[in-house]
Structure formats: structure tokens, C-alpha cells
Amino acid sequence: PPLPYYISYHCSMRQARKLLNLLPQVTSAAAVTNTGCSVSVSNAVSASTTGYMSRSSRFQQTTAYDVGSSTNIKWHEGMVDRKTKEKIMNQRGCILWFTGLSGSGKSTVATTLEHALAEMGKTTIVLDGDNIRHGLNTNLGFTSEDRVENIRRIGEVSKLFAECGIITLVSFISPYIKDRMKVRERVAEGDFIEVYMKIPIEI
């Protein structure tokens, strides 16, 4: 699987400044204030994008399907496509997925980046693991099965936001590579950018 971007040191503003360069066709990172902290990001996966993969067959689809435990399910395409929404917002939707140990700074960096993007006029949303458990995932615990379902749900929510042209910042421990790969495989090529917070537990 593609390797994530690695953040080696905990300094949220400088990390946010570096991460701005990873977002597809957003803007330069120069607008974010330099705090003088030291940070390194190793580019272990290409930041280039090929655009949204068209799924034109949906427009012609009238057949009903069985999906999971549900029956007689059809796909209903919206009347405003993704490119139009992205043109309105002057940005490209994507998912920036922060993973790492608890306390590694995932939420701190995500919210700092959110603030930086807001100052640039960009539309974002932060999906934080703890916050999601207050609502959508209140019925899930921390067993292996529940962790898998936790990531599956947030992956689908993130996909919806990204396909609407919103820059989606996801802060989840998400310890299982296979679960993160399932999310990556569900979205369009170039939409999923994984950021691993490689922070020593002692810090």
C-alpha cells in the first residue's frame, strides 16, 4: 500500500504550513505564519492528482440492488456534480487523514490547519475521533470489531464531504492499515492523503 506522509516533530503551525502543500490544487503554504519550530515531512506518497474518476454509469442506472443487509436499493445521482461544486468553492475536495497514537497531536494539527485554510477562504470540516463518538458512533466501543466499524463509518462520511468539494480533515487513531486502505479504495484517486503522526510516546 502507499506509505503515508510522516510528521516527525510536534509543532502544529509549522506542520500545518507543510501540509498545505499536500492538498490538491488548494494554494501555497506561504500564507501560514512561521513560528520557527523545526519539523520534517517525508513525502512517501505522490501528492499529484488525476482528478475525480467519473462514474457516469450511475446516470443510467435504474436497477435495484441488494446492498449489505438492505434490499431494493438504487443509486440516486444529484443534479449538481462534483466539479460544479468545486468550481463554486474554488477548491478541490479531499481527505487528509491523520493517524497516530493518542496524544500525538492529530487533532491539534488538524484544527490548526483548519484555521489556516479558513483564513485563505477555504471550506473545511474536521472530523475528530472523540467528537464522532458523542453522536454518530455512540454505540461503538473499543473492541477490534467496533474499531473496524468506527473507521468504516467515518470513511463513508469523509467520502461524502470530499465528493462535495470540501477539504475534510480526519483525526482518528485508526491503528489498522487494512481499515485505512479500505477508505482509500472507496474514494477517487488522489482524494485520500494519509498523515502519520510519528511522535514518540514519551513526548
Side-chain angles (χ1 to χ4, degrees), residues 111-192:
T111 53
T112 301
L113 181 57
E114 177 190 35
H115 179 73
L117 288 166
E119 289 186 336
M120 297 158 60
K122 302 303 177 182
T123 302
T124 63
I125 186 168
V126 173
L127 301 176
D128 179 84
D130 287 346
N131 293 352
I132 294 298
R133 286 182 179 273
H134 281 274
L136 178 64
N137 291 347
T138 53
N139 64 321
L140 298 179
F142 293 94
T143 64
S144 296
E145 293 79 9
D146 282 356
R147 286 183 182 275
V148 170
E149 177 61 13
N150 187 44
I151 299 307
R152 188 196 70 80
R153 291 184 192 179
I154 200 62
E156 292 298 321
V157 172
S158 302
K159 177 176 179 287
L160 292 173
F161 278 115
E163 289 180 348
C164 285
I166 295 173
I167 299 169
T168 308
L169 311 175
V170 180
S171 173
F172 271 64
I173 294 176
S174 47
Y176 303 127
I177 295 176
K178 62 180 182 180
D179 295 337
R180 301 195 302 273
M181 283 302 300
K182 286 180 181 178
V183 177
R184 183 189 292 272
E185 291 166 359
R186 284 282 295 154
V187 303
E189 184 177 353
D191 275 6
F192 188 94

Side-chain angles (χ1 to χ4, degrees), residues 83-99:
K83 289 183 179 180
T84 301
K85 293 175 182 178
E86 291 180 331
K87 184 177 180 181
I88 292 170
M89 290 186 286
N90 191 30
Q91 64 183 45
R92 187 181 184 281
C94 65
I95 300 168
L96 203 57
W97 190 286
F98 294 85
T99 182

